Amino acid sequence: MVIAKAAPQQGKGQTKQRMLHAAVELMTERSAAGVTVDEVIARSGAPRGSVYYYFPDGRAQLLAEALELAGKITAATITDAFAEGATSGIDRYVKYWTAILQHKDFGASCPIASAAIGGGDIDGSLIPQADIIFQTWQDLIASGLVDMGISQKRAVGLSTLIVTSIEGGLILARASRDTAPLQRVQDELEQVLQQALNEE
């Protein structure tokens, strides 16, 4: 899976990373509210005692750190994608999510979006963190667009459009079990970006 690529299995130093990657993968499948410590242990193969060794605050800390990891993985993808140009940026960003959907047979979604929706008291504490992550993604895209020659003001608006459109396309694709909604979003966004570049 793209966003929750398995961490190396060998070595005690990898236990925490295995647990975090397992938590991210579970979050893509069933939202933050549906992730339990027992499932993380089962999927990561980590010893039960390692939970409170690496995450002394328990599930809340585990989910917060997993959400941070998920945000960083996508942020790295965005940075690389938009360093290559507007069209390439959209293409790679959409392919990133398409690969996740296909890998999980449409049983996955964006873990940041699921955290933003919230659930119980612990999961509600993830909402501000999700907001920061979404803003980071927008800032990275806006910076890439500015480097391409688009004005700062326009780049900020376009970055919000890009993130919200792809997140929405991801939801529609999962619901319909078809990547066509994401492809349509990509086509429209590429036209919008090309028009913005032509106007500058």
Side-chain angles (χ1 to χ4, degrees), residues 14-178:
Q14 297 299 330
T15 301
K16 181 176 182 178
Q17 286 303 306
R18 290 205 317 271
M19 294 176 72
L20 287 174
H21 281 271
V24 170
E25 188 168 353
L26 286 164
M27 288 169 72
T28 68
E29 297 170 6
R30 61 191 67 180
S31 82
V35 177
T36 68
V37 170
D38 285 344
E39 288 172 315
V40 172
I41 291 171
R43 186 163 300 197
S44 66
R48 177 167 291 278
S50 62
V51 175
Y52 294 101
Y53 177 79
Y54 291 111
F55 309 101
D57 291 331
R59 179 176 177 272
Q61 182 181 355
L62 173 62
L63 289 180
E65 291 192 29
L67 194 67
E68 180 182 4
L69 174 62
K72 287 181 177 178
I73 293 171
T74 302
T77 298
I78 289 171
T79 300
D80 291 343
F82 284 88
E84 299 178 7
T87 300
S88 175
I90 296 297
D91 181 61
R92 286 189 59 181
Y93 194 8
V94 169
K95 283 181 177 176
Y96 168 75
W97 286 119
T98 299
I100 292 172
L101 283 172
Q102 292 175 335
H103 179 79
K104 284 296 183 180
D105 192 26
F106 294 92
S109 60
C110 174
I112 314 306
S114 73
I117 294 170
D121 292 340
I122 291 176
D123 305 305
S125 68
L126 298 176
I127 295 175
Q129 186 180 355
D131 177 46
I132 291 171
I133 292 170
F134 276 137
Q135 188 57 60
T136 297
W137 294 356
Q138 292 173 75
D139 291 345
L140 289 170
I141 293 171
S143 177
L145 296 179
V146 168
D147 289 343
M148 296 172 205
I150 295 176
S151 69
Q152 177 68 33
K153 181 178 180 180
R154 186 75 193 278
V156 169
L158 287 171
S159 70
T160 300
L161 176 65
I162 291 167
V163 172
T164 56
S165 296
I166 292 177
E167 289 290 325
L170 179 60
I171 293 170
L172 294 180
R174 180 173 183 176
S176 65
R177 297 183 60 80
D178 190 336

